[in-house]
Amino acid sequence: MEKKEVISELQFIKGVGPIKAIALSQLGINNLIDMISFFPVSYIYRSNTKLISEVIEILRSEYSLNFQKIDIQSLKLYSEIQIVAKVVNIKTIELSRFKKLLKITVTDDSNAQAEIIFFNRVQYFEKKFKEGQILFISGIPTSDKFSQVKFTHPDIEVIDEEEVSLYKSGGIIPKYRMPEGLMKARFSQNSIRNIIQYIFESKDLKIEESLPEYLISEYSLIQINEAFRQVHFPDNIEKLEQAINRFKFEESLLFQLTLNSLRKNQLMNEKGIVIQRNTESVKNLYKQLPFKLTQSQIDVIKQIYDDFSNGKPMNRLLQGDVGSGKTLVAIFTMLAAVDNGYQVAIMAPTELLAEQHYRTISKFTEGFGINITLLVGSQKSKLRKEINQKIIDGESQIICGTHTLFQNNMQFNKLAYIVIDEQHKFGVNQRAELQKIAINSHFDKQVYPHILVMSATPIPRTLSMTVYGDLDVSVINQMPAERKPIKTKIAFEQNRDSVNEFIIKEITEGKQVYYVFPLVDKSEKLQLKSAVEYYDYLQSEVFPNQKIGLLHGQMHGYEKEDIMKAFLNKEYDILVATIIIEVGIDVPNATIIVIENAERYGLSQLHQLRGRVGRSHHQSYCILFSKSEYQFHLNKNNIDTKEYKSAIVRLKTMENTTDGFQIAETDLELRGPGDILGSQQSGMPNFKHLNIVKDVELIAKTRKQAQEILESDNHLSNSKNIALRKTLQKYVADKGNYYRIA
Ligand code: ADP
Ligand code: MG
């Protein structure tokens, strides 16, 4: 007798069998719960099933504007038009030697005809459809001048004769992901639905409630059984929403519980260095400041001093829009540490910025007798040795550097405080890495240094609650007094002359200008204007009477430094630069920034670039030159392609607001969290249900709830939290993957 191998318990379910069970197993689906955790990716809302004759009427009456996708909780719920029709003809049309088009003619009870057009994967669809098949077609119909109804690449399901009535009736049909493996094992949407239906009817299905009763009632959640059922076979849209909400709530709560218990344990175990506040240098700096600190700056400085005094290591994120004066907050707090006899380090993402910190700190602390050191990668090895020695000896008190600071087994003397500037340039993992290195290089491996992470890219609230959830957050939400919002304008080639005139006028009044180009050298591929080429052109043709400097990434560190210094000292009127000036550079007298090919940049980059001006009481301007053809799209509402659309949204957002937080939210919507954080910033959890852009309220709610739960029951040992504890254990063991979604 042939030996029968058991693949999984699913194998014995009606309609599965060994081949399908193997395919499911390859997706990690091995039991009943796994199978019902295979969630639909979208739903078809069948209230729109029409006869072809009705579709013709609708198209005539121009109701077509209503065919929009509605987005419920970020799940795609199509409100497209659906028809149930029979294939009467299939025809392949050769458009050229390489290009074919497939035309399928269908008809229904109204005896009218519609065409389905495919121009991609023609061979595949050619084989898939046959005359006589009944199709459920869902899409946005169009009609040509002969009133011929057409669906181009619609969603099509081949359905059985007996399903026809189901499809014609109202309701919501779940659609599942159909990867290659399932397709090969001859799964269909229908068979998946049937299998899941069967499982729900089976007595073997036992779903344990994963959340405690008190949470379910407090948040009016639906029970887990019901939630699973509604996700697959929703009674109506409200029920579907409730079901999805329940899974989101659970996922978010579990995530926040892990995050917060980590943080709590960290705080309980780690010993921090106590630093006294209001020391001599702090007072001196305060006395000689040429301006008043903003209330926001004062509040944050106080928060940091509080952290310094409570015996725990500080882990704080300081968010403040470009130009809000974060550096000064860092300096005030660094001085306290120095006066307490410790070493401090400030790390910047570029040498240019590290050098600027070095200059700024030296300037503010002149005469204080504090030893400030610059440490960057481009320094010659002999110099480096000397510097390293000074750091080990403790002669260096404030060290300004790049990531070089924490490379090659750097040794410090009494490093107690690390400031990371422009954190968004480093990445989440690097922060953890840095902390490890800092601890290891520390004089006492039992105590942890304080860490302040500064970020000018305002992080949307959801992101700071998730990615940076293990940090305390401070926000500078106030600009220094007398700052005027930067005026921003989108410009085109035709505005060139007037812009140039305006630049000359401002320069005559003593102001300075940044001129930003995307690339250093001519790139034929991108056809972008290059800084080097345009530098020559601008100097000889456009601004012959103005002094122009050139700054780009391919220059040596000392060259860049010289040019920046010269610009700061007003030796140049105009600085032509690539985006290396994007981060941090501070030249308060610069009041105009011209950005060429502005459509090429992301929103946060544009915001950062713009932040180079508006750093004093003078009115500043940002001019965004972009493609001429955009002119015609700017005022249109129906913009054709995606690229245009997002580029135009970016430019318009820049014109409309200077609020970094608002810009960050829009950016997050346009790009999604993955792109914003970058792939290397993999601190980003991979949520199955939660939408980090749209579920802000829910995330905030569950964060608070998680904190409350841990506050009263740190180990979840209370009897009312037993279910939660079990769920959390499962969640941690599966790295958050325990309820799969397609
Ligand atoms: P960012 O937050 O972008 O790093 P900076 O720390 O570089 O901003 O500060 C921008 C400019 O504003 C600097 O020239 C700084 O000296 C100045 N500045 C900082 N705080 C104040 C204040 N309270 N009033 C006026 N100017 C300030
Ligand atoms: Mg800065």
Side-chain angles (χ1 to χ4, degrees):
M1 208 176 78
E2 211 182 311
K3 216 171 70 188
K4 257 202 182 157
E5 207 187 330
V6 177
I7 296 133
S8 74
E9 62 177 83
L10 290 171
Q11 179 178 350
F12 306 107
I13 296 244
K14 187 170 160 247
V16 183
I19 293 177
K20 284 195 166 68
I22 289 172
L24 288 171
S25 185
Q26 276 159 358
L27 292 177
I29 301 173
N30 293 306
N31 56 43
L32 303 185
I33 296 281
D34 288 348
M35 191 67 223
I36 61 166
S37 302
F38 186 70
F39 279 12
V41 278
S42 63
Y43 297 84
I44 293 171
Y45 191 32
R46 272 175 303 157
S47 67
N48 267 335
T49 308
K50 301 274 189 254
L51 289 168
I52 297 173
S53 58
E54 291 173 317
V55 177
I56 295 171
E57 282 310 307
I58 291 172
L59 289 173
R60 275 208 191 113
S61 61
E62 291 188 29
Y63 270 116
S64 45
L65 281 178
N66 292 329
F67 302 150
Q68 280 168 353
K69 243 185 239 170
I70 37 179
D71 211 27
I72 290 205
Q73 307 249 9
S74 76
L75 270 175
K76 287 182 223 104
L77 188 79
Y78 294 98
S79 107
E80 298 173 339
I81 290 270
Q82 286 97 41
I83 57 170
V84 178
K86 195 182 225 158
V87 179
V88 291
N89 187 268
I90 299 178
K91 205 164 143 192
T92 311
I93 300 159
E94 299 235 353
L95 297 176
S96 73
R97 241 178 82 199
F98 305 104
K99 197 97 191 108
K100 282 199 281 186
L101 182 143
L102 184 67
K103 194 165 92 181
I104 299 176
T105 310
V106 297
T107 185
D108 67 1
D109 294 346
S110 69
N111 277 325
Q113 291 196 336
E115 280 176 2
I116 303 164
I117 307 293
F118 291 101
F119 44 83
N120 286 326
R121 298 175 70 205
V122 167
Q123 271 180 332
Y124 167 80
F125 289 114
E126 236 172 0
K127 280 190 210 127
K128 183 169 169 175
F129 299 111
K130 305 198 172 36
E131 272 175 39
Q133 276 175 335
I134 302 173
L135 307 181
F136 177 70
I137 298 153
S138 179
I140 297 173
T142 55
S143 79
D144 59 19
K145 53 179 184 267
F146 311 109
S147 290
Q148 175 67 60
V149 177
K150 276 192 184 130
F151 287 88
T152 308
H153 276 270
D155 267 2
I156 300 187
E157 216 175 312
V158 181
I159 59 178
D160 298 337
E161 203 74 55
E162 62 262 30
E163 277 186 299
V164 170
S165 64
L166 172 84
Y167 269 84
K168 282 184 184 166
S169 68
I172 302 169
I173 304 182
K175 283 278 207 169
Y176 298 90
R177 183 165 64 99
M178 190 61 75
E180 193 87 22
L182 292 192
M183 211 118 87
K184 278 197 180 133
R186 302 193 161 271
F187 273 98
S188 66
Q189 290 292 333
N190 210 33
S191 64
I192 293 178
R193 274 197 300 270
N194 286 340
I195 291 165
I196 291 173
Q197 178 81 53
Y198 185 85
I199 291 175
F200 276 124
E201 281 158 18
S202 142
K203 279 191 281 307
D204 297 330
L205 179 68
K206 293 197 177 59
I207 312 171
E208 261 181 70
E209 182 49 69
S210 48
L211 290 175
E213 205 46 56
Y214 72 95
L215 288 180
I216 290 182
S217 71
E218 188 177 337
Y219 292 95
S220 314
L221 304 172
I222 55 176
Q223 301 281 342
I224 189 137
N225 268 298
E226 180 65 3
F228 268 118
R229 198 180 288 272
Q230 292 296 339
V231 157
H232 292 286
F233 305 107
D235 290 340
N236 51 47
I237 292 179
E238 292 76 48
K239 281 276 166 58
L240 175 60
E241 272 195 271
Q242 283 175 9
I244 293 166
N245 254 336
R246 190 217 133 103
F247 287 109
K248 285 185 174 190
F249 179 91
E250 185 168 330
E251 183 174 42
S252 185
L253 181 71
L254 292 171
F255 179 72
Q256 293 296 341
L257 280 172
T258 3
L259 212 65
N260 280 287
S261 61
L262 271 180
R263 175 100 188 91
K264 229 175 149 200
N265 287 336
Q266 219 176 22
L267 282 180
M268 290 201 310
N269 298 333
E270 293 172 359
K271 237 171 60 185
I273 300 155
V274 175
I275 293 169
Q276 307 298 334
R277 65 183 78 193
N278 293 339
T279 57
E280 198 61 32
S281 309
V282 171
K283 285 184 199 148
N284 287 339
L285 175 60
Y286 193 76
K287 260 186 272 167
Q288 64 168 59
L289 265 192
F291 42 70
K292 267 177 76 176
L293 290 176
T294 62
Q295 189 56 44
S296 251
Q297 284 172 315
I298 293 172
D299 292 345
V300 176
I301 292 170
K302 276 197 186 134
Q303 273 171 343
I304 295 173
Y305 285 160
D306 286 346
D307 287 351
F308 278 176
S309 65
N310 70 10
K312 305 281 177 211
M314 173 177 79
N315 268 295
R316 189 170 282 283
L317 168 66
L318 170 54
Q319 286 193 283
D321 216 338
V322 276
S324 61
K326 293 183 293 294
T327 315
L328 213 54
V329 170
I331 297 175
F332 266 104
T333 51
M334 283 157 79
L335 287 180
V338 169
D339 284 354
N340 276 261
Y342 295 106
Q343 222 166 25
V344 302
I346 178 165
M347 180 169 90
T350 63
E351 294 200 358
L352 203 54
L353 204 51
E355 282 148 12
Q356 179 179 288
H357 282 322
Y358 175 74
R359 271 200 311 272
T360 306
I361 297 172
S362 304
K363 189 187 82 191
F364 275 123
T365 62
E366 214 181 315
F368 289 17
I370 294 174
N371 193 307
I372 302 160
T373 304
L374 178 69
L375 182 89
V376 293
S378 64
Q379 284 161 337
K380 296 256 157 47
S381 62
K382 183 160 164 276
L383 181 61
R384 267 300 282 285
K385 264 201 196 119
E386 290 169 22
I387 292 172
N388 283 348
Q389 198 53 49
K390 279 204 279 183
I391 294 173
I392 294 172
D393 293 344
E395 191 187 330
S396 294
Q397 292 165 289
I398 296 178
I399 306 142
C400 307
T402 53
H403 55 277
T404 314
L405 269 176
F406 296 97
Q407 278 172 349
N408 309 325
N409 297 322
M410 271 290 299
Q411 288 294 312
F412 293 88
N413 185 281
K414 282 180 95 179
L415 184 63
Y417 182 27
I418 300 167
V419 179
I420 305 171
D421 195 14
E422 310 291 347
Q423 137 82 20
H424 57 285
K425 290 274 152 190
F426 287 106
V428 175
N429 287 342
Q430 264 169 296
R431 174 162 53 85
E433 197 64 14
L434 194 74
Q435 188 174 26
K436 252 193 304 193
I437 295 168
I439 293 162
N440 284 331
S441 65
H442 202 260
F443 58 100
D444 177 353
K445 298 200 172 30
Q446 300 310 306
V447 291
Y448 286 64
H450 301 290
I451 296 182
L452 179 70
V453 165
M454 305 201 290
S455 178
T457 302
I459 301 157
R461 208 148 59 95
T462 38
L463 288 191
S464 56
M465 281 188 295
T466 50
V467 182
Y468 299 97
D470 56 335
L471 297 176
D472 295 315
V473 181
S474 297
V475 179
I476 302 186
N477 52 14
Q478 199 178 17
M479 284 290 175
E482 292 177 28
R483 289 269 169 92
K484 300 182 185 74
I486 302 164
K487 290 189 176 155
T488 304
K489 238 16 224 150
I490 304 172
F492 304 98
E493 235 20 76
Q494 69 191 60
N495 310 114
R496 195 58 79 179
D497 289 344
S498 55
V499 169
N500 290 343
E501 269 170 42
F502 180 64
I503 290 175
I504 291 173
K505 183 182 143 271
E506 282 281 300
I507 291 174
T508 317
E509 288 171 14
K511 311 290 172 33
Q512 288 168 284
V513 180
Y514 289 107
Y515 220 108
V516 183
F517 289 91
L519 293 174
V520 184
D521 276 308
K522 195 156 60 182
S523 154
E524 283 179 4
K525 221 166 82 191
L526 293 171
Q527 293 283 315
L528 295 178
K529 293 165 179 170
S530 85
V532 178
E533 188 185 333
Y534 264 76
Y535 165 72
D536 293 336
Y537 168 75
L538 287 176
Q539 183 70 89
S540 58
E541 307 285 328
V542 188
F543 304 109
N545 302 320
Q546 280 69 33
K547 290 162 285 171
I548 308 185
L550 173 66
L551 185 75
H552 61 74
Q554 249 105 85
M555 289 173 160
H556 284 296
Y558 58 86
E559 267 182 288
K560 286 189 260 188
E561 159 86 336
D562 286 349
I563 303 227
M564 264 336 286
K565 251 191 267 180
F567 188 55
L568 190 62
N569 295 334
K570 280 189 161 190
E571 287 165 38
Y572 298 121
D573 303 310
I574 300 175
L575 185 66
V576 173
T578 58
I579 57 162
I580 65 165
I581 60 149
E582 179 197 343
V583 286
I585 296 301
D586 184 38
V587 179
N589 192 51
T591 56
I592 301 181
I593 183 162
V594 179
I595 303 171
E596 293 286 337
N597 297 100
E599 76 282 351
R600 293 260 160 193
Y601 298 96
L603 252 186
S604 68
Q605 244 177 350
L606 286 173
H607 182 61
Q608 278 287 334
L609 282 171
R610 179 169 62 183
R612 295 315 108 219
V613 297
R615 301 184 145 253
S616 68
H617 60 278
H618 302 299
Q619 176 64 54
S620 289
Y621 306 87
C622 170
I623 294 149
L624 305 167
F625 271 104
S626 71
K627 280 191 203 165
S628 295
E629 66 239 54
Y630 278 25
Q631 229 177 121
F632 310 105
H633 294 278
L634 264 175
N635 298 316
K636 271 207 310 200
N637 280 328
N638 53 336
I639 297 159
D640 337 318
T641 74
K642 242 187 154 166
E643 189 227 346
Y644 275 154
K645 189 167 173 181
S646 58
I648 286 167
V649 172
R650 290 195 299 265
L651 295 172
K652 280 188 155 178
T653 305
M654 288 298 290
E655 243 185 9
N656 293 338
T657 182
T658 51
D659 178 349
F661 280 89
Q662 201 179 321
I663 287 173
E665 298 285 350
T666 308
D667 199 25
L668 187 61
E669 262 170 52
L670 286 178
R671 292 196 294 153
D675 271 0
I676 286 192
L677 294 165
S679 52
Q680 83 280 17
Q681 303 218 16
S682 50
M684 187 60 205
N686 200 0
F687 291 120
K688 302 295 165 202
H689 309 281
L690 216 52
N691 182 313
I692 200 160
V693 181
K694 298 188 174 147
D695 297 327
V696 199
E697 294 314 316
L698 184 70
I699 294 174
K701 206 158 72 179
T702 51
R703 180 174 175 80
K704 208 160 146 256
Q705 182 62 59
Q707 282 162 350
E708 272 170 33
I709 293 173
L710 291 173
E711 208 65 46
S712 64
D713 185 14
N714 191 18
H715 299 287
L716 300 182
S717 46
N718 201 315
S719 65
K720 68 172 188 177
N721 283 327
I722 284 178
L724 194 57
R725 185 190 168 122
K726 232 168 134 181
T727 314
L728 189 64
Q729 277 167 346
K730 213 161 145 199
Y731 173 84
V732 172
D734 293 357
K735 297 205 177 68
N737 229 354
Y738 75 130
Y739 283 150
R740 204 172 295 101
I741 190 170

